[in-house]
């Protein structure tokens, strides 16, 4: 749970890198009265998209990146004031809200759900979801991840209970090493880690397409940022530029894949897979988003993973993205 994480752990997980508009350092920008947004990111995803599309060119504020390998430490950073914004799939955002992190979701992201999946070893003997009964399933990265929702949902769809599997939580890099060495058979994961797992002797058992996950993600902002009119205005502009950048990735998949390969160290096939599964647009948070994600919250609350439950509509600030 987010509430149990220690702020002292941030020193081991946060990697801060300056990027964005012009050559000023953030200290210089502050001295000139220029707003600096510290944007939370996972595995350089947003940073790569915005750099490759050049969507931040001409922005009247600085962007500093706070990079993490998973959602849990990112939300911890927001809680500790080390990042201004959040970026995750729907369930990690719900888990953070349930855990007391003070932020609001300000924009929705949408993709087809194929970015999350359950990967099994080819020699695991697991040929269908029903074969997971009695098995250990590693979930990345922590309790309340989108990978865990996929697992819970497909178990329910196949007549199984969540208690029919033995869940172990591991950060993606640790799980990747264990999966590659054959120490685990089944791994619920996402993004680059899913793509790498498939390259390291894995087979896709099921992914999040066809409504098995909502396909929604969120950009959120800390309460402190939302109370700062200059930062809030800058964030509104950033969201519009992010929307432009995501549209660029949809129409320039080859160039985007090359950027992933160059900036993230992924090989060509992994980069191509990631480029094809990216979020495609930034959306206002509306009734359809709230209803769909509330179903996610209710399912996870019902199996004891999300406690207390979250009122999704009340957890949004719709005034930032206009």
């Amino acid at each position: 749970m987010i509430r149990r994480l220690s702020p002292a752990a941030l020193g081991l997980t946060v990697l801060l890198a300056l990027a964005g508009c012009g050559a000023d350092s953030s200290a210089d920008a502050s001295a000139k009265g220029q707003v600096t947004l510290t944007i939370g990111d996972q595995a350089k995803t947003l940073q790569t998209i915005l750099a490759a599309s050049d969507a931040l060119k001409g922005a009247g504020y600085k962007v500093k990146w706070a990079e993490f390998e998973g959602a849990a430490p990112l939300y911890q950073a927001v809680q500790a004031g080390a990042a201004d914004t959040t970026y995750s799939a729907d369930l990690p955002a719900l888990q953070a809200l349930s855990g007391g992190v003070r932020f609001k979701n300000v924009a929705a992201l949408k993709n087809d759900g194929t970015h999350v999946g359950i990967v099994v070893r080819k020699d695991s003997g697991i040929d269908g979801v029903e074969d997971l009964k009695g098995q250990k399933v590693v979930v990345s990265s922590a309790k309340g991840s989108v990978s865990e929702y996929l697992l819970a949902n497909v178990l329910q769809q196949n007549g199984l209970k969540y208690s029919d599997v033995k869940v172990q939580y591991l950060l993606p890099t640790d799980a990747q090493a264990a999966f590659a060495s054959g120490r685990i058979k089944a791994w619920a994961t996402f993004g680059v880690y899913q793509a790498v797992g498939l390259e390291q002797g894995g087979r896709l058992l099921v992914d999040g397409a066809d409504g098995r996950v909502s396909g929604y993600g969120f950009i959120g902002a800390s309460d402190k940022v939302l109370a700062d009119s200059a930062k809030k205005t800058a964030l509104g502009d950033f969201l519009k530029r992010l929307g432009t950048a995501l549209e660029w990735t949809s129409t320039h998949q080859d160039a985007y894949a090359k950027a992933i390969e160059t900036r993230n160290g992924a090989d060509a096939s992994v980069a191509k897979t990631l480029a094809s599964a990216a979020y495609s647009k930034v959306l206002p948070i509306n009734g359809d988003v709230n209803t769909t994600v509330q179903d996610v919250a209710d399912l996870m609350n019902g199996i004891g993973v999300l406690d207390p439950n979250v009122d999704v509509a009340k957890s949004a600030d719709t005034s930032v993205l206009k």
Side-chain angles (χ1 to χ4, degrees), residues 123-161:
D123 57 358
S124 66
I126 300 171
D127 299 316
V129 172
E130 64 278 3
D131 297 325
L132 292 174
K133 186 172 184 177
Q135 296 283 349
K136 180 177 77 173
V137 181
V138 168
V139 169
S140 291
S141 60
K143 190 173 185 180
S145 73
V146 65
S147 311
E148 186 164 31
Y149 175 73
L150 173 64
L151 176 62
N153 199 25
V154 298
L155 288 172
Q156 183 181 79
Q157 290 174 350
N158 285 270
L160 297 175
K161 297 179 293 184

Side-chain angles (χ1 to χ4, degrees), residues 272-296:
K272 186 175 181 179
T273 298
L274 292 176
S276 66
Y279 288 115
S280 60
K281 57 184 68 175
V282 176
L283 302 169
I285 299 174
N286 57 25
D288 289 341
V289 174
N290 290 332
T291 298
T292 300
V293 178
Q294 192 64 56
D295 288 343
V296 174

